[in-house]
Amino acid sequence: MLMVGLTGGIGAGKSTVTSVLAETGAVIVDADKIAREVVEPGTPGLAMLVAEFGEGILDADGALDRAALAALAFVDAERTSALNAITHPLIGERTAELFGSAPQDAIVVHDMPLLVEGGMTPGYHLVIVVDTPADIRLTRLVEQRGMPEADARARMARQATDEQRRAVADVLVDNSGERDAVVELTRVLVEFRLVPFEHNLRTGTPVIGDRTVVPFRPEWAAEAERAIARLRHVVGGLAPRIDHVGPTSVVGLDAPDIIDIQVTVRDEAGADAALHALTGAGWVQDHSSLRPLLHWCDPVRPLEVTILAEDDPEHAFALLMAEVIGDDSAAREEYSQILRRADREETRRWERTRCRAARF
């Protein structure tokens, strides 16, 4: 199944996006809803909270008084840790249960306000950030939710900054304007990215990037960083280092819009283990390559991953080449011309193949 993380600052309007995703058939796992469920009256969670913090955290009906709990739990780190030790395992267990009950062909959207703060973004195939400027969010909290301005500012300050959320976003949904625009954008996202992505993962269909040379894109570096974080999440200690290599790693170089990543392992056994871990996570092996080469399944972001041992000469060459070309403008221009010649030759080969096929 396709696992999507959805987040945004308080007041960003995530519910608009999740409602459209739900209408299109996505399975929504709401972290805030789960956090309330595990401490409802009669649950073991509420009983444990009462045992830890006392009867004073209950209201007249026996339900959790969240303000009273906050007054006791957030006074110092020790009390906060006691709260987290009770609620986090319960939330995690319920979340895993909901993930596990989703159909194998589902698009599962985890609506998680603290996705960035918890450092959990590499665990998802795709991260969507509902992006709304802080001043608009503040106005919404005060005028629409009736929250005192001081409280709203304090809650916003405890969350990640807009810049931190944008850094981990594969998709930014601008929710600063009209609702209809957000609804249409979300529907397009589902049709052209989420649905094909899920299909590719489920069927093991790789996305092979177009080798046409395009103007340099500053976004390549951040896209590579997110890919590396996801790879690190899968291979863990099997890889002493993971690097962005190839043409898109060179600042200012026009190149094919394909991110090349090199996973460095210690030896042949490590290469086999890393290959097994990545193919198990949905990466598709290119069996035509002499060295382990894998493609990703995101229809919008072609990625190619090579697994090399530390003593493989190609390992050092890939790192050195990017460094040399990046430091030498003449070498960068020469390499750009090589890429363009290769692009033209590939186009000519394709045209010849098409003409021969047309004869039959």
Side-chain angles (χ1 to χ4, degrees):
M1 63 186 70
L2 181 69
M3 298 296 297
V4 178
L6 174 71
T7 193
I10 183 173
K14 296 191 305 299
S15 60
T16 300
V17 177
T18 55
S19 64
V20 177
L21 292 172
E23 289 171 4
T24 61
V27 175
I28 310 297
V29 178
D30 188 330
D32 282 344
K33 182 179 179 181
I34 293 172
R36 293 190 296 270
E37 285 180 356
V38 299
V39 292
E40 287 178 347
T43 62
L46 183 57
M48 287 189 284
L49 288 179
V50 171
E52 180 68 36
F53 294 99
E55 298 280 346
I57 64 171
L58 299 177
D59 62 19
D61 297 322
L64 179 64
D65 184 331
R66 295 184 176 277
L69 175 62
L72 296 173
F74 298 123
V75 293
D76 57 43
E78 182 180 349
R79 292 283 76 200
T80 302
S81 294
L83 171 65
N84 293 340
I86 293 171
T87 58
H88 285 188
L90 296 171
I91 293 170
E93 181 180 349
R94 178 57 176 157
T95 301
E97 181 183 344
L98 292 173
F99 286 166
S101 63
Q104 287 303 303
D105 61 349
I107 296 171
V108 179
V109 178
H110 192 194
D111 182 352
M112 181 71 171
L114 301 181
L115 196 68
V116 178
E117 293 83 345
M120 296 179 289
T121 55
Y124 300 86
H125 295 120
L126 200 73
V127 172
I128 301 172
V129 171
V130 182
D131 188 43
T132 307
D135 57 336
I136 295 178
R137 293 191 284 118
L138 179 63
T139 299
R140 289 176 180 173
L141 293 173
V142 174
E143 296 182 358
Q144 297 177 16
R145 298 193 191 180
M147 189 180 295
E149 183 174 333
D151 291 349
R153 290 184 180 277
R155 292 189 63 176
M156 291 172 64
R158 288 196 294 268
Q159 294 187 334
T161 65
D162 290 343
E163 291 71 23
Q164 289 170 326
R165 279 188 290 268
R166 290 166 187 158
V168 302
D170 300 294
V171 179
L172 274 177
V173 178
D174 181 2
N175 195 18
S176 60
E178 296 297 324
R179 184 181 186 279
D180 288 349
V182 177
V183 168
E184 179 59 24
L185 178 60
T186 305
R187 287 175 177 161
V188 170
L189 171 64
V190 171
E191 180 179 359
F192 292 100
R193 192 165 192 179
L194 301 190
V195 169
F197 200 163
E198 184 283 320
H199 172 271
N200 292 346
L201 274 174
R202 177 166 40 84
T203 59
T205 304
V207 173
I208 309 299
D210 185 349
R211 293 290 173 181
T212 302
V213 175
V214 300
F216 170 77
R217 293 179 58 241
E219 296 84 1
W220 282 335
E223 290 170 343
E225 285 183 14
R226 293 194 293 273
I228 289 171
R230 289 188 171 104
L231 289 164
R232 175 66 64 193
H233 180 75
V234 175
V235 302
L238 291 172
R241 63 184 296 168
I242 304 177
D243 298 279
H244 181 199
V245 296
T248 57
S249 69
V250 181
V251 176
L253 179 68
D254 297 348
D257 188 17
I258 303 169
I259 303 295
D260 295 297
I261 305 293
Q262 180 171 279
V263 175
T264 301
V265 295
R266 293 180 177 83
D267 49 31
E268 186 176 343
D272 290 341
L275 179 62
H276 179 74
L278 289 171
T279 53
W283 289 80
V284 184
Q285 184 176 3
D286 186 340
H287 292 283
S288 67
S289 174
L290 296 177
R291 292 181 171 86
L293 173 66
L294 303 105
H295 301 279
W296 192 219
C297 302
D298 185 346
V300 171
R301 171 35 58 215
L303 295 168
E304 293 186 359
V305 169
T306 304
I307 304 174
L308 294 176
E310 291 174 322
D311 60 355
D312 190 319
E314 285 293 327
H315 160 257
F317 177 79
L319 300 174
L320 182 62
M321 182 152 183
E323 181 179 338
V324 169
I325 294 174
D327 292 339
D328 187 333
S329 59
R332 194 162 56 245
E333 177 59 28
E334 182 180 358
Y335 190 41
S336 177
Q337 293 303 317
I338 292 172
L339 291 172
R340 293 187 184 281
R341 283 199 299 272
D343 177 20
R344 289 194 295 270
E345 181 58 30
E346 180 64 26
T347 300
R348 284 195 292 268
R349 278 200 299 270
W350 184 86
E351 289 289 350
R352 288 196 295 270
T353 301
R354 188 180 66 170
C355 289
R356 285 196 294 269
R359 296 171 188 167
F360 300 95

